[in-house]
Amino acid sequence: MADNIMSKAATMEIPINSNGDTGTLTEDDSLEQDLQQVMVSGPNLNETSIVSGGYGGPAGGIIPTSSIKGSLNHNTNSTEEVSRGVAVEKLDSVKKWGINTYKCTKQMFSEKFGRGSRTVDLELEAQIDVLRDTKSKYENILRLATALITHFQSMVQTQQALGDTFTDLSQKSPELQDEFGYNAETQKLLCKNGEALLGAINFFVSSINTLVNKTMEDTLMTIRHYENARLEFDAYRSDLEELSLGPRDAAAMVRIEMAQQEYHTHREKYERLRSDVSIKLKFLEENKVKVMHKQLLLFHNAISAYFAGNQQQLEQTLIQFNVKLKPPGSDKPSWLEEQ
């Protein structure tokens, strides 16, 4: 009986056109007509969309298309609002940057041509000039010491090669074996002491390099921020002075009030950075004296011991200042690095 019902449902006479004509329509024909209708007229978005269960699926899987469209519109509007907010924020940032750059450029040219005034801290400016001069001189010491290392290392390598040659000749020349042997031992000793001196000079150069290119440079970076803050402060100060000399109508008073706020903001920034520079200069001076006292003593003792031929004093100097020598060949790349 069930088979009969299924066969009747599969083959039924139903209207197949708008004139009311009837005919036999199978399931495959019905599905084909539905697909043709969708391809010709498109889906009806005003009706409900079946998202699960297919034809004849459960009612719980049917979601109104209007709800989907509303959700999509809400998400689209939210995205547009966020994008619009970001664009407005960027525009305001560019506008503020442009105004600030214009004011600072105007102030800089006014100072350069003598038409504008600038805020000067004489004591601090003198300390900054001393620091820049000191850094320049220390950079010269660093450059000369590096050149000394290069030349002296070349001499040590030559002594090493000469000692090896003397050793080889002492074995191949029986009649001059002792003479070549003495010279070979002398060159090897000089080479050993030269490597110790190179270790001391390298330590000296490394410490000076840290002082110049890290400690001093960090302080100079703060000084550059301070100088920029000083220029901004004077620019907004000059702007406030010009507005104060103008008319006092309602619009002008609003501009004066805004200028006063900007003036106080940049004044606080300027004073804060001026205090930072003063503190850093003080600590830099203390650190510089401490570092240079140690490094100059190391340099003097090592050079004196080497050229005096005092190997024991040279070794004690390295121990005193905790200078560790690199093993021979440690600077050469490994076999894997060469590959």
Side-chain angles (χ1 to χ4, degrees):
M1 182 176 182
D3 294 339
N4 294 333
I5 294 175
M6 292 297 295
S7 62
K8 291 181 180 180
T11 306
M12 299 176 61
E13 292 186 354
I14 59 174
I16 58 175
N17 53 38
S18 58
N19 296 325
D21 297 334
T22 61
T24 301
L25 186 65
T26 64
E27 287 183 347
D28 293 338
D29 295 334
S30 177
L31 180 58
E32 183 178 357
Q33 283 193 0
D34 288 342
L35 291 175
Q36 290 176 356
Q37 180 180 359
V38 170
M39 292 175 63
V40 174
S41 61
N44 187 356
L45 296 180
N46 294 323
E47 298 177 356
T48 57
S49 296
I50 301 176
V51 297
S52 64
Y55 285 95
I62 301 177
I63 299 177
T65 306
S66 58
S67 299
I68 298 176
K69 292 169 63 179
S71 177
L72 292 175
N73 291 334
H74 177 72
N75 293 335
T76 303
N77 293 335
S78 300
T79 305
E80 291 178 354
E81 290 176 359
V82 171
S83 301
R84 190 181 299 109
V86 172
V88 171
E89 184 178 354
K90 289 183 178 180
L91 183 62
D92 291 340
S93 177
V94 171
K95 182 179 178 181
K96 291 179 180 178
W97 174 84
I99 294 174
N100 185 73
T101 303
Y102 167 74
K103 291 180 182 294
C104 291
T105 305
K106 178 182 176 182
Q107 176 66 23
M108 182 175 60
F109 279 104
S110 297
E111 294 176 2
K112 184 175 182 180
F113 293 106
R115 294 196 299 266
S117 61
R118 64 188 298 266
T119 304
V120 179
D121 188 329
L122 295 177
E123 182 179 359
L124 189 61
E125 293 289 339
Q127 293 177 0
I128 292 174
D129 291 339
V130 169
L131 171 60
R132 285 177 171 148
D133 183 62
T134 301
K135 184 175 183 290
S136 176
K137 292 178 179 178
Y138 278 34
E139 286 174 341
N140 190 39
I141 292 176
L142 190 60
R143 185 165 51 252
L144 293 173
T146 303
L148 177 62
I149 289 176
T150 302
H151 297 314
F152 196 78
Q153 190 170 19
S154 177
M155 187 185 73
V156 170
Q157 291 173 353
T158 303
Q159 289 174 337
Q160 178 69 43
L162 191 59
D164 294 340
T165 303
F166 284 152
T167 300
D168 182 61
L169 287 172
S170 68
Q171 297 173 357
K172 296 180 179 180
S173 304
E175 67 281 2
L176 297 173
Q177 183 176 4
D178 293 338
E179 288 79 1
F180 279 127
Y182 295 150
N183 281 279
E185 291 298 327
T186 301
Q187 294 302 319
K188 289 180 180 179
L189 180 61
L190 289 174
C191 182
K192 180 180 179 180
N193 292 342
E195 290 176 350
L197 180 59
L198 278 174
I201 300 177
N202 276 317
F203 188 80
F204 173 82
V205 168
S206 176
S207 300
I208 301 299
N209 181 65
T210 301
L211 177 64
V212 172
N213 294 320
K214 291 186 178 180
T215 309
M216 288 186 177
E217 186 60 33
D218 178 70
T219 303
L220 287 173
M221 180 64 69
T222 305
I223 290 173
R224 285 191 283 270
H225 291 326
Y226 156 75
E227 290 174 341
N228 291 335
R230 196 278 310 164
L231 182 63
E232 291 179 352
F233 166 65
D234 283 337
Y236 283 92
R237 175 183 56 80
S238 300
D239 187 48
L240 178 60
E241 291 175 354
E242 291 179 4
L243 290 174
S244 299
L245 296 176
R248 294 303 183 98
D249 56 2
M253 293 303 297
V254 172
R255 289 195 296 269
I256 290 175
E257 184 179 356
M258 294 178 62
Q260 287 177 343
Q261 294 177 357
E262 294 287 349
Y263 166 78
H264 288 298
T265 300
H266 286 87
R267 180 179 179 180
E268 291 176 358
K269 179 181 178 181
Y270 163 72
E271 291 178 348
R272 183 181 69 255
L273 285 171
R274 181 176 62 180
S275 176
D276 292 345
V277 169
S278 299
I279 294 173
K280 283 197 173 186
L281 285 172
K282 178 181 177 182
F283 284 115
L284 175 62
E285 183 65 24
E286 295 175 355
N287 186 42
K288 182 194 72 174
V289 172
K290 181 180 178 181
V291 169
M292 292 307 297
H293 174 76
K294 177 182 178 180
Q295 296 305 318
L296 290 173
L297 187 60
L298 165 66
F299 190 82
H300 173 269
N301 291 349
I303 292 286
S304 300
Y306 174 81
F307 285 101
N310 193 337
Q311 180 182 2
Q312 184 179 1
Q313 182 181 353
L314 180 58
E315 293 176 353
Q316 289 178 353
T317 299
L318 299 182
I319 295 174
Q320 177 186 354
F321 292 95
N322 196 26
V323 178
K324 297 181 180 179
L325 298 179
K326 295 181 180 180
S330 60
D331 294 335
K332 296 181 180 180
S334 65
W335 178 82
L336 288 176
E337 292 176 339
E338 290 179 348
Q339 298 302 316

